[in-house]
Amino acid sequence: MVETTDALPAEVYRQLAAAVASRRHAMHAPVVAGGDGDARVMVLRGVDPALAALRFHTDARAPKVAALGVDPRVTVLGYDPAARVQMRLKGVARIEREGDAADAAWAATSTMGRRCYLALRAPGVAAATPGASLPEALAARRPTTAETAAGRLNFAVLLVSVLTIDWLRLDSRGGTRAVLQRAEPGAPWHGGWVAP
Ligand SMILES: Cc1cc2nc3c(=O)[nH]c(=O)nc-3n(C[C@H](O)[C@H](O)[C@H](O)COP(=O)(O)O)c2cc1C
């Protein structure tokens, strides 16, 4: 229960951390939309208490990577029916193909998870046949760790710094909504309750 808007960032963190931990959590796979208006479902892989690095994984060749490079504005949208909470988290995205965050994320990814990044065709590229363009030898089995090495080149992390929290909880009294904003990660949050 959120009694004051001061408690909201910590509550958002708590809900997102639960979503990261459980693939059954409704916010485990929120919608991530870019400033170009395109949107897609992505698995939320990590969150920090400062809400400065919501972590997603992506193929570095995917169209959203180029789009977010041009316009880093991003919205992460999720709805948890159990809690009756919608979260619209707006902020800025950065893509990291190298560095500690990408290296650690790759290291923590299973060989089956890594296999996606071995696809021969980039996401969205036209194909004569349906399905993934995995190398034939790996199409139906788990690759070895050594076999996944080539996938590292196609792997990137998408990190979102949240600058606006728009939080709505439905209830029988018409709902409760708050909007908080900050100028940059680490800066104080401003805002408060708004009409739902
Ligand atoms: C449940 C679910 C989870 C997904 N998780 C991811 C993910 O973690 N990362 C990702 O890049 N795409 C993920 N996708 C695929 C994207 O929704 C999207 O189809 C793909 O990334 C291409 O997006 P783009 O053309 O906007 O780059 C997921 C799709 C579904 C249905």
Side-chain angles (χ1 to χ4, degrees):
M1 191 57 127
V2 180
E3 304 290 352
T4 69
T5 57
D6 287 349
L8 193 56
E11 172 62 11
V12 168
Y13 168 69
R14 191 192 65 74
Q15 290 180 334
L16 293 182
V20 168
S22 170
R23 62 174 66 184
R24 296 213 185 112
H25 195 291
M27 292 206 206
H28 187 67
V31 172
V32 178
D36 61 355
D38 209 356
R40 75 287 296 161
V41 168
M42 297 181 79
V43 172
L44 179 64
R45 314 276 177 171
V47 60
D48 61 316
L51 303 178
L54 273 55
R55 179 166 51 86
F56 301 89
H57 296 175
T58 178
D59 192 310
R61 302 167 293 177
K64 61 180 156 311
V65 170
L68 289 168
V70 173
D71 183 348
R73 290 175 300 164
V74 67
T75 297
V76 177
L77 169 67
Y79 175 60
D80 179 352
R84 302 184 74 192
V85 166
Q86 170 182 263
M87 279 192 226
R88 298 155 84 188
L89 307 174
K90 298 176 200 174
V92 288
R94 61 186 192 280
I95 302 282
E96 294 186 4
R97 301 178 66 151
E98 293 167 2
D100 290 348
D103 286 344
W106 180 256
T109 300
S110 71
T111 49
M112 278 308 265
R114 291 180 177 189
R115 191 177 68 154
C116 308
Y117 301 95
L118 294 167
L120 301 172
R121 278 189 294 273
V125 167
T129 52
S133 58
L134 290 171
E136 191 56 37
L138 299 179
R141 71 167 170 86
R142 177 183 287 273
T144 65
T145 301
E147 284 171 332
T148 65
R152 177 66 185 84
L153 285 174
N154 297 327
F155 177 79
V157 290
L158 160 60
L159 300 167
V160 176
S161 291
V162 177
L163 299 178
T164 301
I165 296 171
D166 185 336
W167 185 90
L168 169 66
R169 190 184 57 224
L170 303 177
D171 59 42
S172 59
R173 298 157 65 99
T176 302
R177 182 179 173 198
V179 178
L180 301 183
Q181 289 178 301
R182 60 182 175 181
E184 58 189 9
W189 292 101
H190 296 288
W193 304 118
V194 301

